[in-house]
Amino acid sequence: MIDLKEMGSKWRKAKLALGLNMCLYVPQTHEQDSSPSPSRFSDTVSLSPTSALRRGSTTPTPSSSGLRLPKSSTKSSKSTCAICLTAMKAGQGHAIFTAECSHSFHFHCITSNVKHGNQICPVCRAKWKEIPFQNPASDISHGRQRINAVGWPRDDTWMTVLRRLPPARLDTNRHIPSLYHAQEPPIFDDDETLDQQHVIAERDVSIIDGVGDPNSVGTIEIKTYPEVSAVSRSASHDNFTVLIHLQAPVTSGRHSGSSNNAELPQMSQNSRASVDLVTVLDVSGSMAGTKLALLKRAMGFVIQNLGPSDRLSVIAFSSTARRLFPLRRMTEAGRQEALQAVNSLISNGGTNIAEGLRKSAKVIVDRKWKNSVASIILLSDGQDTYTVTSPNGTHPRADYKSLLPISIHQNRGTGCQIPVHSFGFGTDHDAASMHSISEISGGTFSFIEAEGVIQDAFAQCIGGLLSVVVQELQVKVECVHRNLHIGSIKAGSYRTSITGNARMGTVDVGDLYAEEERDFLVTINIPVDRSIDQMPLLKVGCVYREPITKDAVTLEGASQVWIQRPEIIGAQVVSMEVDRQRSRIHAAEAMAEARVAAENGDLARAVSVLESCYKSLSETASAQTGDRLCVALCAELKEMQERMANRQVYETSGRAYVLSGLSSHSWQRATARGDSTDSTSLVQAYQTPSMVDMVTRSQTMLLGNPSSHRKLRQALSFPAARPQPR
């Protein structure tokens, strides 16, 4: 057994010995002095939580480009491998390679480092004339790359060498490196088998009655709220609104993390559904430098936080796309393989988003084994130059559906719904296409404006994906009183249907994360009825599947709405819950209207629409009470106005910001935009506790001990204290 505490201590000593706890200027070589272009900063970066790159920095600085050993560490560095950070001693079964610059490394560590063409010392940055080479036959076992099982502490398994690549003059039309021309199997059915122990544990959960079971999951909570509690029996009320509020169960298997992150709870692997995740990463020429370095660090965080039953595959795309490795379980060996593959990425070529998505869909569709949850994460900083536009930039086409394979389109009738959560990186990406990809597939679109926020954005996304507790959810609404009919169901981007006689309706919701909330507004026309003192309006139920047990759950008539029908009524107070959800829908509709005006070139009208909505929301009862959701909506409306100040600002960031907001409100799911992942931001909505925990974990790894930083607060759909529904 490995003593993690002892190894953690060794790791800290190694960092001090190697100078990895400081961020120092690396002098430029004569070759580098020729052009001070920002793109000359490293395409690769340490994936360690102690990365020298500072959060929030959008431009590289000399202090963020690399690390140089202090003179006092020379002796320690000779006895410690700078790549795996373990001791180097003769007779321990490891060959030691000493470079011409006198720095030494484990032979298998340095060969892994240089096999992708890196000829620079990871310690002193000297360019080597002679490089170590390992016979391919010795590095392959049963047809699969052998992974060096080095003894890193668990929390630092994603530490890799910090390398600085010599800059290159990039041509987006040049050929892709040979990595992208390697042969791939015609069918991607080479995914790693599922963790059988976890499968057995899931079966055990389904057998247990659930009482006292730490892994059991409760049922969905359904509440209904009429807009007013009474309507005179001698009066009618058209477009009477009923709010349907859903909240997913909490998974009770959450527990405290390790001693290093005692304040950051995490979910037990056996208490949640395992995930098949495919990340589709843009490595085109425009990603060179800091962007690619930060992407690698963010991917390191994702890999670190996936469990041994979760599986990951990575697709890298530029002018074409390449699957770096099949779906692999994120065991210790699987993580190391994934980190090596991600850290080997280089930027080059054009942007072929469609090919990257085609490969990712193939990974999902062809897989032999299936975890309960499957999703795709797409990140790009540019515009597709092959499908939406031709490679030379001419003949633009707005057919964004062509970017997404039909096999993963939402609601295509086959039951295979694979959401694509897209991330637009920087100010040059095609926000319209990224938003369309997510909208069509049932995913969300996030706008990463500040490069340093990428890890937090990924953290928020996987915080949700790793907490799915409900799948294939469908909400059913039925009129109870014989004279009632459903007028409309407002559910954002969720598919709704109303029967021909308007007596029943449904909302197809799909997956819910733990403690995630959904709110839908149903309108009905209430007729005059002098025969009753109370009127039943609607009954609401749902059907869904539990992802762990695979059991179908049916809740018939879980909640029923009644109103009083007195002869005479006094002044009526509108339900606060209904009022705040009306405000949310009003704001989302205003954002959509303003976006249309802006796209038509009428920015003045777009700003006017947003300002009018802002004033209207400010006067609502919920806003007057300081409701957090209304405060967030008002702050977001003001932010959008500023981003529509002129055409340049709108093209640069306004469009992406608005589309990310629309994505968030239409799905009622958190997206990253602006400073929304920061604890001090007013623009926060829909974060679940699991998302908050994961973002806090990300920020803690970057900034230090969580106790010294404010934790991201959860923006609840409903205030903590509220009147009971009728």
Side-chain angles (χ1 to χ4, degrees), residues 203-389:
R203 290 172 182 166
D204 290 343
V205 171
S206 66
I207 295 172
I208 298 173
D209 188 31
V211 178
D213 175 25
N215 293 329
S216 64
V217 176
T219 58
I220 288 180
E221 181 182 42
I222 302 178
K223 294 182 179 179
T224 50
Y225 301 82
E227 66 170 282
V228 292
S229 60
V231 174
S232 173
R233 66 178 63 169
S234 59
S236 62
H237 194 310
D238 293 339
N239 294 320
F240 186 91
T241 302
V242 175
L243 166 64
I244 300 173
H245 173 69
L246 311 174
Q247 183 167 19
V250 57
T251 301
S252 59
R254 294 163 62 83
H255 60 83
S256 297
S258 65
S259 58
N260 291 331
N261 294 303
E263 298 184 25
L264 300 177
Q266 59 186 6
M267 196 173 291
S268 167
Q269 178 76 62
N270 286 340
S271 69
R272 65 169 177 84
S274 299
V275 177
D276 282 344
L277 178 64
V278 182
T279 57
V280 186
L281 310 178
D282 187 343
V283 291
S284 59
S286 57
M287 285 290 293
T290 305
K291 282 185 178 180
L292 189 56
L294 291 171
L295 172 59
K296 291 180 179 183
R297 186 182 69 183
M299 278 301 301
F301 178 84
V302 171
I303 293 167
Q304 169 72 4
N305 282 279
L306 293 177
S309 295
D310 301 313
R311 300 190 302 174
L312 174 70
S313 179
V314 176
I315 308 293
F317 71 91
S318 51
S319 298
T320 184
R322 173 68 184 168
R323 184 189 67 165
L324 299 187
F325 54 89
L327 279 171
R328 286 280 179 264
R329 290 198 293 116
M330 289 296 98
T331 58
E332 290 299 326
R335 287 177 180 174
Q336 292 180 37
E337 179 180 356
L339 290 166
Q340 285 185 0
V342 168
N343 207 39
S344 71
L345 292 173
I346 59 174
S347 55
N348 190 12
T351 306
N352 195 339
I353 296 175
E355 182 64 13
L357 288 173
R358 187 189 70 81
K359 283 281 176 70
S360 67
K362 186 173 175 60
V363 169
I364 294 293
V365 173
D366 290 356
R367 58 187 167 152
K368 185 181 298 183
W369 310 93
K370 294 182 180 180
N371 268 324
S372 300
V373 180
S375 187
I376 295 172
I377 288 179
L378 166 68
L379 178 134
S380 178
D381 76 329
Q383 303 189 22
D384 188 289
T385 52
Y386 289 83
T387 306
V388 178
T389 59

Side-chain angles (χ1 to χ4, degrees), residues 457-511:
F458 276 17
Q460 180 171 270
C461 183
I462 66 169
L465 293 175
L466 297 180
S467 66
V468 173
V469 292
V470 170
Q471 289 187 304
E472 302 172 16
L473 170 63
Q474 184 182 69
V475 178
K476 296 183 177 181
V477 185
E478 183 178 356
C479 294
V480 179
H481 193 277
R482 62 184 181 279
N483 293 329
L484 295 180
H485 298 88
I486 297 174
S488 66
I489 301 176
K490 294 186 177 182
S493 291
Y494 294 105
R495 185 176 64 175
T496 62
S497 64
I498 301 175
T499 58
N501 62 5
R503 295 279 297 168
M504 296 182 62
T506 61
V507 182
D508 295 330
V509 181
D511 294 358

Side-chain angles (χ1 to χ4, degrees), residues 82-134:
I83 298 177
C84 70
L85 304 180
T86 57
M88 294 185 298
K89 290 183 180 180
Q92 290 187 338
H94 295 293
I96 297 175
F97 170 78
T98 301
E100 54 206 84
C101 59
S102 79
H103 290 112
S104 299
F105 313 89
H106 287 125
F107 187 77
H108 58 260
C109 291
I110 199 61
T111 53
S112 175
N113 187 54
V114 305
K115 68 181 178 182
H116 296 292
N118 304 311
Q119 301 181 22
I120 296 177
C121 176
V123 177
C124 69
R125 328 308 295 168
K127 188 171 182 179
W128 294 336
K129 296 179 181 179
E130 299 178 356
I131 60 173
F133 176 76
Q134 187 170 21

Side-chain angles (χ1 to χ4, degrees), residues 41-48 51 53 60 64-65 162-163 287-300 342-343 345 347 425 451 454-455:
F41 285 87
S42 173
D43 275 0
T44 57
V45 68
S46 168
L47 298 178
S48 169
S51 170
L53 288 171
S64 67
S65 61
L162 179 66
R163 302 175 306 196
M287 285 290 293
T290 305
K291 282 185 178 180
L292 189 56
L294 291 171
L295 172 59
K296 291 180 179 183
R297 186 182 69 183
M299 278 301 301
V342 168
N343 207 39
L345 292 173
S347 55
F425 198 13
E451 294 172 350
I454 181 174
Q455 180 169 306

Side-chain angles (χ1 to χ4, degrees), residues 29-51:
T29 63
H30 176 73
E31 177 185 352
Q32 292 170 326
D33 288 336
S34 60
S35 175
S37 170
S39 65
R40 290 186 174 274
F41 285 87
S42 173
D43 275 0
T44 57
V45 68
S46 168
L47 298 178
S48 169
T50 56
S51 170

